[in-house]
């Protein structure tokens, strides 16, 4: 089967610094893949390349077998690659439902302009609540985002991304800054995302990574050092030394 998202020998550099080195990877439909690696390994740069925020120096990116490397960011979103950001992009003064509505309207604007207004409103309302439901956010629908706990804001960011109806969801550290204990809640929501959605997760918290991923890619100095199942990655000697510490502590969390 053609992978949903695939890269071939993707390369990027900033000045003389090679930050993406011949990265070839693929995400099948329904992927639960984690991208890990030390600080500065090039994880966010890779997400920027996939989402179209920056153009690679060379290499190709394909969605469902079709090259998208020339497409600008908005066109990639439309074709199904959606990311969340480490830094919040929410409208803090609007409610959770209003934020999601903005995203739904943005997506539907073009296709629904000829719909009669009541039908349009009903459709938008349904989509907003369906999206909130996917993440267990209904109880927060009418809460102002700026007054929510950080963990709930992170979930609202994911809701915004889901409102774009992605095929591939790129989650850049959804647990960043969230107090320990709340991370598990975010992960539960992520685990219950639609099964056919392909998810690539960047996350530093190894407990969350091993809980979530069925496939792990380890990036070091811009290159894929190793990839495989959590068990394979946790057992890899280089990974133990570079990433986990010599005792291989996280090997016991693999499942
Ligand atoms: N716009 C830029 N201009 C110059 N150098 C950059 C730029 N963006 C990133 N870099 C450098 O590229 C390298 C990879 O950065 P990147 O943010 O992709 O790593 P990362 O693996 O996501 O790190 P972290 O885990 O700390 O978020 C780093 O050395 C960083 O300083």
């Amino acid at each position: 089967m053609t992978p949903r998202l695939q890269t071939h020998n993707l390369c990027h550099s900033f000045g003389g610094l090679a930050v993406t080195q011949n990265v070839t990877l693929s995400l099948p439909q329904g992927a639960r893949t984690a991208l890990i690696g030390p600080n500065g390994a090039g994880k966010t740069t890779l997400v920027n390349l996939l989402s179209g925020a920056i153009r690679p120096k060379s290499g190709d990116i394909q969605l469902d077998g079709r090259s998208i490397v020339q497409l600008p960011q908005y066109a990639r979103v439309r074709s199904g690659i959606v990311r969340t950001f480490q830094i919040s992009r929410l409208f803090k003064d609007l409610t959770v439902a209003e934020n999601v509505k903005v995203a739904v309207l943005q997506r539907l604007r073009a296709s629904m302009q000829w719909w009669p207004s009541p039908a349009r409103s009903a459709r938008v309302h349904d989509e907003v609540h369906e999206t909130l439901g996917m993440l267990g956010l209904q109880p927060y629908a009418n809460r102002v985002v700026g007054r929510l706990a950080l963990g709930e804001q992170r979930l609202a960011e994911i809701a915004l991304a889901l409102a774009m109806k992605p095929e591939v969801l790129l989650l850049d550290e959804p647990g960043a800054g969230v107090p320990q204990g709340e991370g598990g809640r975010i992960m539960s929501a992520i685990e219950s995302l639609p099964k056919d959605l392909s998810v690539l997760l960047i996350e530093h918290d190894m407990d969350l990574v091993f809980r979530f991923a069925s496939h792990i890619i380890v990036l070091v100095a811009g290159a894929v050092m190793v990839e495989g199942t959590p068990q394979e990655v946790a057992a890899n000697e280089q990974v133990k030394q570079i990433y986990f510490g010599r005792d291989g502590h996280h090997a016991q969390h693999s499942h």
Side-chain angles (χ1 to χ4, degrees):
M1 205 167 96
T2 313
R4 264 275 128 98
L5 184 69
Q6 201 166 20
T7 71
H8 294 285
N9 295 321
L10 213 54
C11 292
H12 195 65
S13 54
F14 293 112
L17 182 68
V19 287
T20 310
Q21 303 202 58
N22 286 312
V23 171
T24 295
L25 55 85
S26 70
L27 291 188
Q29 182 171 21
R32 293 293 184 265
T33 300
L35 180 66
I36 66 171
N39 287 329
K43 304 179 295 294
T44 297
T45 301
L46 186 56
V47 169
N48 284 337
L49 290 168
L50 297 175
S51 66
I54 53 177
R55 289 281 168 89
K57 302 284 184 204
S58 61
D60 197 19
I61 305 171
Q62 296 181 346
L63 184 68
D64 295 324
R66 200 171 50 92
S67 179
I68 56 160
V69 76
Q70 299 299 337
L71 294 183
Q73 201 161 1
Y74 73 88
R76 292 197 201 183
V77 170
R78 236 182 254 158
S79 63
I81 303 181
V82 179
R83 70 175 297 178
T84 59
F85 288 87
Q86 267 174 292
I87 299 156
S88 177
R89 296 261 166 128
L90 294 163
F91 298 106
K92 293 280 170 69
D93 297 333
L94 299 184
T95 66
V96 176
E98 285 165 345
N99 266 278
V100 176
K101 187 174 172 183
V102 170
V104 170
L105 283 173
Q106 200 181 335
R107 181 173 56 78
L108 292 177
R109 198 186 302 135
S111 63
M112 291 185 77
Q113 56 185 325
W114 307 114
W115 285 44
S117 155
R120 196 161 53 205
S121 301
R123 164 88 184 267
V124 171
H125 177 272
D126 288 352
E127 280 210 19
V128 167
H129 288 275
E130 188 188 320
T131 306
L132 295 177
M134 282 186 205
L135 296 165
L137 278 173
Q138 302 98 320
Y140 303 94
N142 298 318
R143 301 268 300 275
V144 172
V145 163
R147 298 208 197 109
L148 294 176
L150 192 59
E152 287 144 9
Q153 293 192 24
R154 292 271 174 227
L155 287 177
E157 284 174 8
I158 299 171
L160 242 58
L162 287 181
M164 306 313 288
K165 292 246 190 274
E167 284 185 26
V168 176
L169 182 61
L170 309 172
L171 294 171
D172 195 354
E173 292 196 47
V178 172
Q180 281 229 312
E182 273 189 63
R185 189 161 153 232
I186 293 178
M187 205 44 64
S188 300
I190 292 173
E191 279 170 344
S192 60
L193 288 172
K195 292 278 174 274
D196 60 345
L197 179 65
S198 304
V199 185
L200 180 67
L201 171 77
I202 295 183
E203 181 55 62
H204 281 288
D205 183 329
M206 285 301 110
D207 289 329
L208 298 185
V209 165
F210 277 85
R211 181 173 153 186
F212 160 83
S214 56
H215 191 82
I216 297 177
I217 299 170
V218 185
L219 204 64
V220 176
V224 176
M225 192 182 75
V226 58
E227 64 175 304
T229 64
Q231 289 85 345
E232 287 163 348
V233 167
N236 182 284
E237 284 305 320
Q238 280 175 297
V239 173
K240 281 188 203 172
Q241 285 180 10
I242 291 176
Y243 208 75
F244 296 94
R246 287 179 185 279
D247 63 355
H249 167 71
H250 286 283
Q252 61 196 316
H253 293 286
S254 58
H255 53 256

